[in-house]
């Protein structure tokens, strides 16, 4: 009898393991960072997460039956150069959410990437929001949103959509404007064959004033053999009604372990101050394996009329108007 019980327990454990899946993953990224045109002059040092933010994450799913699954992600950032935690010391500052996935799509709740950010990172930007040439040096990122409920539709005939609402959770009961800190973000996507097009919008209520910031971007990516072209146009409305427009053109070339990235961005400030800016970025990656690569990148920004845009990377916003990155990235 004990052998029957042992076999039954083993089969039960195997079945449970087949229904649930948890994965540990991460990125270790570090390199040499040289910055130029900073207030303190030029500087060179060791930086962490230049191409991709270094991170340790846990993600998983459980099959609940009838096509329904529970899903979760817990992901925290850290610095390789000194071992400190990223995102201001948050344990899971990169992502932390739980939800359900089924034939209806996916609903998740927690700290998550905004749909707008995913359009910029995944479609518009050849640098995928990393290294010195990243698009978010000039363009709005709207990276993560707290207290967010996100719904992503299934893909039908190449079309899909994603919408997010983030509660402001203002605790001041005397607040005149109860909308403070609320955020709305959405994306409509078409992906078929070599073409990907995304229309994205983000609306964020100010934390202190009865005012808001909004960004609307149309991004496209087209792949033809070894070459991928990138393009984006963004219309921005800042606080007090300030307006600007961004235009991005870029290209990615892949051949074997080699990858070359080029992009140019023009920011047209439509306020009276005319604080325009232009950025040029160039990058090269060499794949030592599917999970490890070496990289080099350079980014330069020309600021007009007191504009103060800086060249950053996947982890830091940067201090100068130009930067050079040399590093290594390992994914596991």
């Amino acid at each position: 009898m004990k052998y029957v019980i042992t076999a039954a327990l083993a089969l039960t454990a195997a079945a449970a393991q087949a229904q649930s899946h948890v994965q540990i993953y991460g990125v270790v990224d570090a390199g040499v960072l040289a910055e130029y045109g900073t207030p303190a002059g030029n500087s060179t040092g060791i930086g962490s997460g230049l191409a991709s933010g270094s991170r340790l994450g846990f993600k998983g799913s459980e099959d609940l039956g009838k096509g329904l699954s529970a899903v979760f992600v817990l992901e925290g950032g850290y610095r390789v150069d000194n071992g400190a935690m990223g995102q201001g010391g948050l344990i899971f500052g990169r992502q932390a959410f739980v939800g359900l996935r089924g034939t209806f799509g996916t609903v998740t709740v927690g700290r998550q990437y905004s749909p707008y950010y995913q359009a910029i990172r995944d479609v518009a930007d050849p640098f995928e929001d990393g290294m010195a040439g990243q698009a978010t040096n000039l363009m709005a990122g709207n990276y993560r949103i707290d207290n967010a409920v996100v719904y992503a539709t299934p893909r039908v005939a190449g079309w899909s959509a994603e919408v997010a609402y983030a509660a402001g959770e203002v605790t001041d009961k005397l607040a005149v404007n109860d909308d403070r800190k609320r955020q709305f973000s959405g994306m409509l996507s078409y992906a078929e064959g070599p073409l990907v097009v995304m229309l994205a919008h983000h609306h964020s209520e100010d934390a202190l004033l009865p005012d808001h910031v909004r960004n609307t971007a149309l991004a496209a990516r087209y792949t033809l053999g070894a070459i991928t072209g990138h393009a984006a146009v963004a219309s921005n409305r800042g606080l007090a009604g300030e307006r600007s427009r961004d235009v991005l053109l870029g290209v990615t070339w892949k051949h074997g372990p080699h990858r070359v990235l080029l992009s140019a961005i023009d920011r047209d400030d439509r306020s009276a101050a005319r604080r325009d800016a232009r950025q040029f970025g160039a990058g090269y990656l060499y794949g030592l394996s599917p999970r490890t690569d070496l990289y080099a990148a350079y980014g330069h920004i020309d600021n007009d009329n007191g504009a103060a845009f800086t060249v950053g990377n996947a982890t830091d916003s940067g201090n100068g108007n130009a930067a050079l990155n040399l590093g290594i990235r390992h994914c596991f």
Side-chain angles (χ1 to χ4, degrees), residues 183-301:
Q183 297 185 70
F184 305 88
S185 191
M187 171 184 66
L188 178 64
S189 173
Y190 177 78
E192 196 68 33
L195 176 66
V196 180
V197 180
M198 289 187 180
L199 176 63
H201 181 76
H202 193 94
H203 179 108
S204 179
E205 297 288 338
D206 189 70
L208 301 175
L209 303 173
D211 201 350
H212 68 274
V213 174
R214 66 172 181 261
N215 312 98
T216 302
L218 178 63
R221 184 184 73 211
Y222 189 85
T223 301
L224 184 62
I227 298 177
T228 299
H230 305 259
V233 178
S235 176
N236 312 298
R237 191 265 191 201
L239 297 177
E242 292 189 355
R243 298 182 182 276
S244 63
R245 184 185 65 184
D246 306 320
V247 177
L248 178 152
L249 293 175
V251 64
T252 300
W253 176 76
K254 295 181 180 180
H255 179 71
H258 309 281
R259 183 151 53 119
V260 176
L261 317 172
L262 298 170
S263 75
I265 306 172
D266 179 77
R267 182 175 182 85
D268 180 15
D269 180 12
R270 308 230 166 148
S271 70
R274 303 300 301 175
R275 294 188 176 94
D276 300 334
R278 293 157 301 281
Q279 173 178 287
F280 172 77
Y284 170 74
L285 298 93
Y286 181 81
L288 298 172
S289 76
R291 296 187 299 166
T292 303
D293 53 27
L294 303 174
Y295 59 83
Y298 177 79
H300 179 87
I301 294 176

Side-chain angles (χ1 to χ4, degrees), residues 142-175:
N142 300 314
Y143 305 96
R144 301 175 181 88
I145 46 181
D146 292 335
N147 313 310
V149 179
V150 178
Y151 169 63
T153 71
R155 178 171 295 177
V156 179
W159 291 93
S160 62
E162 188 170 319
V163 292
Y165 168 78
E169 297 193 355
V170 176
T171 57
D172 183 3
K173 295 181 179 180
L174 299 178

